[in-house]
Amino acid sequence: MLTVKAFSFNPVEENTYILYNEKKLCCIIDPGCYFTEEKEKLKKFIEENTLQPIFLLNTHCHLDHVFGNKFIYDTWRLLLHIHEKEKPMLDLAPASGQMWQLPFENYNGEVVYIKEGSEIKVGDDEADSDRLEIRFTPGHSPGHVCFYDEADGFAISGDVLFNGSIGRTDLPGGNFEILINSIQTQLFTLPDDTKIYSGHGPMTTIGFEKMNNPFVKLY
């Protein structure tokens, strides 16, 4: 079983997630910690709960989701895992930071590419590992992915689907039609009670968004 811990970081109020299991193994997803106190808050939670970070994952690489990648690597030596189509966004992030007057040091270590349809296994025991299915959900960015935990009934959706809204498509690599297709084929096919932990804002569920989201409402 994976427990979800959320933090709201940086001036854009991005949601950073730590997923951890009973064995104290954890994944860090979209570390948006920008300020020193935010980095210390994340580190303190991990240390106080005696967690062992084993994966650094990005749903996508817009600047507010990657601010803390280098800090995570420097602290725990975790290699960054992203979809290969998201690498240009990672490379563009520092320039975006300058544009938004939020300069930062980008992650420059080895990148591990993850593929849609594969799984992230949190644990060494094949039979006892917690699993995150990788769902390819472009539209907000070219290589965006969501991480779906079927056993625990939740997905980390990044900036694809929000409570009552969807991700922007006016940024580089964005496409409205592709984003809507991603939501309908990769998220709205999940059980209605699936919890959605978004990149910004509060948690929601698939069933609620199907009925109420004005961008993708199903009648």
Side-chain angles (χ1 to χ4, degrees):
M1 177 180 177
L2 288 172
T3 298
V4 181
K5 172 63 178 178
F7 300 87
S8 179
F9 286 148
N10 70 57
V12 193
E13 297 184 343
E14 178 267 358
N15 290 334
T16 294
Y17 293 101
I18 296 178
L19 312 183
Y20 60 98
N21 62 15
E22 297 90 338
K23 296 181 180 179
K24 303 286 189 176
L25 302 177
C26 77
C27 303
I28 303 170
I29 302 180
D30 291 352
C33 39
Y34 183 79
F35 300 107
T36 300
E37 57 266 30
E38 294 176 338
K39 296 173 183 178
E40 289 304 314
K41 184 176 182 180
L42 184 68
K43 183 180 179 185
K44 182 179 179 181
F45 177 84
I46 289 173
E47 291 178 346
E48 287 185 345
N49 288 276
T50 62
L51 302 180
Q52 178 187 347
I54 60 172
F55 282 112
L56 168 58
L57 309 172
N58 282 171
T59 59
H60 66 297
C61 293
H62 287 157
L63 79 163
D64 52 321
H65 292 254
V66 304
F67 282 141
N69 280 345
K70 186 177 185 298
F71 168 72
I72 300 302
Y73 175 75
D74 289 345
T75 305
W76 293 286
R77 312 310 290 180
L78 299 183
L79 299 181
L80 176 62
H81 291 61
I82 59 173
H83 192 280
E84 63 180 351
K85 291 185 177 180
E86 201 60 17
K87 182 62 162 58
M89 296 296 101
L90 178 66
D91 295 339
L92 183 64
S96 298
Q98 292 291 341
M99 185 184 306
W100 289 91
Q101 297 183 349
L102 292 168
F104 73 101
E105 276 194 82
N106 203 16
Y107 174 91
N108 59 4
E110 179 184 348
V111 175
V112 179
Y113 293 121
I114 54 180
K115 296 184 181 297
E116 59 265 33
S118 62
E119 293 180 327
I120 298 290
K121 297 176 183 177
V122 187
D124 297 326
D125 188 339
E126 181 71 23
D128 196 33
S129 293
D130 295 284
R131 301 167 189 268
L132 296 171
E133 178 190 338
I134 299 165
R135 296 204 159 209
F136 186 49
T137 51
H140 176 67
S141 63
H144 197 298
V145 296
C146 294
F147 300 103
Y148 174 50
D149 180 351
E150 180 180 10
D152 298 310
F154 72 82
I156 307 296
S157 71
D159 286 1
V160 172
L161 182 65
F162 302 124
N163 188 323
S165 188
I166 61 174
R168 293 175 59 174
T169 56
D170 59 340
L171 300 171
N175 183 290
F176 180 80
E177 289 76 17
I178 291 175
L179 178 64
I180 296 301
N181 182 69
S182 292
I183 293 170
Q184 291 176 335
T185 62
Q186 298 300 313
L187 294 181
F188 278 6
T189 52
L190 301 177
D192 282 355
D193 61 353
T194 303
K195 296 177 181 177
I196 295 296
Y197 293 99
S198 305
H200 303 269
M203 184 198 75
T204 186
T205 67
I206 290 296
F208 181 84
E209 297 308 315
K210 280 183 179 179
M211 296 301 296
N212 296 283
N213 193 303
F215 298 95
V216 282
K217 186 175 179 180
L218 295 182
Y219 295 94

